[in-house]
Amino acid sequence: MAFSLPSLPYDYAALEPHVDATTMNIHHTKHHQTYVNNLNAALDKFPELKSVGIVDLNKAVNTDKIPADIKTVVRNNGGGHYNHSFFWKIMTNPSNTNGPMGDLKAAIEADFGSVDEMKTKFNAAAAGRFGSGWAWLGVDEAGKLHIESTPNQDNPLMSHLPDTKPLFPVLGLDVWEHAYYLKYQNRRPEYIAAFWNVVNWEQAAENFKAGKEHKVLLDGAPAPKM
């Protein structure tokens, strides 16, 4: 079955004034749709892969499970599809964001010292990513939180990546210029700071809970296994 563009859980203007409606519309209907289209086109050549979920497809990147002639396309566009599907859900209307609570807050304080220190390190990872990429907060198999930055459309599910630790994503921020340039131009740190005003901490808590159980949420439920 072909992959499809997921609907947003809010309207395009819901993240204003921190993320503008025009950027959200273009980002969702143009950029994300292109990743979906390119991924489907690549998998048309190998229809047996169409039954593999997007999470396991990302985990299989750079393994012999993905044929050599579509490895790069799947890495870039399968990564883009997963990353953006994750990204839309980790944001919410500013009126709905109240900061981390419960087990996630306790884990952040245990692993980073404070929520503010976690944000500082996350911001540094996002700002320090040269060119296009992502910043991530994720949990490892031992239940410990880490911050990573990945290039392009790579993500922590792709365990082959150099200088990174395989993680179950909890938070992710897109720092490609198309995510912020209309509003923030070259002021990436300003965009990064604004992100904290739209974080869906309830979703982050669910991601953290699933990650501690070595699961990855997909549309609110654990992703099916390959």
Side-chain angles (χ1 to χ4, degrees):
M1 186 168 64
F3 290 105
S4 60
L5 184 71
S7 299
L8 294 185
Y10 38 74
D11 63 47
Y12 291 122
L15 308 182
E16 293 271 13
H18 308 290
V19 184
D20 62 283
T22 301
T23 293
M24 284 299 298
N25 189 315
I26 296 171
H27 200 171
H28 180 242
T29 65
K30 304 299 183 184
H31 292 281
H32 191 172
Q33 183 68 69
T34 297
Y35 295 126
V36 172
N37 294 346
N38 290 343
L39 178 61
N40 285 332
L43 297 185
D44 280 344
K45 303 173 185 176
F46 298 92
E48 67 275 12
L49 293 176
K50 289 186 175 182
S51 62
V52 178
I54 192 61
V55 170
D56 283 321
L57 200 64
N58 273 259
K59 289 181 177 180
V61 162
N62 222 32
T63 73
D64 57 10
K65 295 178 181 178
I66 308 296
D69 60 341
I70 62 167
K71 278 183 184 291
T72 299
V73 176
V74 170
R75 177 177 180 173
N76 292 339
N77 294 281
H81 181 37
Y82 170 79
N83 292 351
H84 285 85
S85 299
F86 179 94
F87 188 45
W88 309 139
K89 294 178 67 177
I90 206 62
M91 296 188 291
T92 188
N93 185 280
S95 65
N96 297 331
T97 184
N98 299 305
M101 296 176 288
D103 290 345
L104 176 57
K105 183 180 181 182
I108 289 171
E109 291 173 341
D111 293 332
F112 297 99
S114 68
V115 173
D116 285 344
E117 183 62 19
M118 180 276 291
K119 289 182 178 180
T120 296
K121 291 182 177 179
F122 186 98
N123 292 355
R129 166 52 55 190
F130 182 78
S132 301
W134 292 72
W136 303 93
L137 173 69
V139 58
D140 66 18
E141 291 189 348
K144 183 177 176 61
L145 291 167
H146 301 268
I147 288 169
E148 291 184 346
S149 173
T150 57
N152 302 315
Q153 294 298 347
D154 289 350
N155 61 59
L157 298 178
M158 299 175 180
S159 58
H160 70 282
L161 298 178
D163 304 320
T164 60
K165 182 181 183 69
L167 299 175
F168 300 94
V170 174
L171 284 175
L173 177 61
D174 187 349
V175 294
W176 282 62
E177 286 187 345
H178 65 235
Y180 63 88
Y181 209 81
L182 289 181
K183 182 176 180 65
Y184 296 99
Q185 290 83 52
N186 64 326
R187 305 188 304 276
R188 185 192 286 187
E190 188 176 333
Y191 159 71
I192 295 166
F195 169 67
W196 298 109
N197 295 298
V198 296
V199 170
N200 185 340
W201 287 106
E202 291 184 0
Q203 181 65 54
E206 290 299 314
N207 295 339
F208 175 63
K209 179 181 178 181
K212 288 196 300 180
E213 298 172 354
H214 301 172
K215 299 174 183 176
V216 178
L217 291 185
L218 186 66
D219 296 330
K225 294 299 180 183
M226 199 169 180

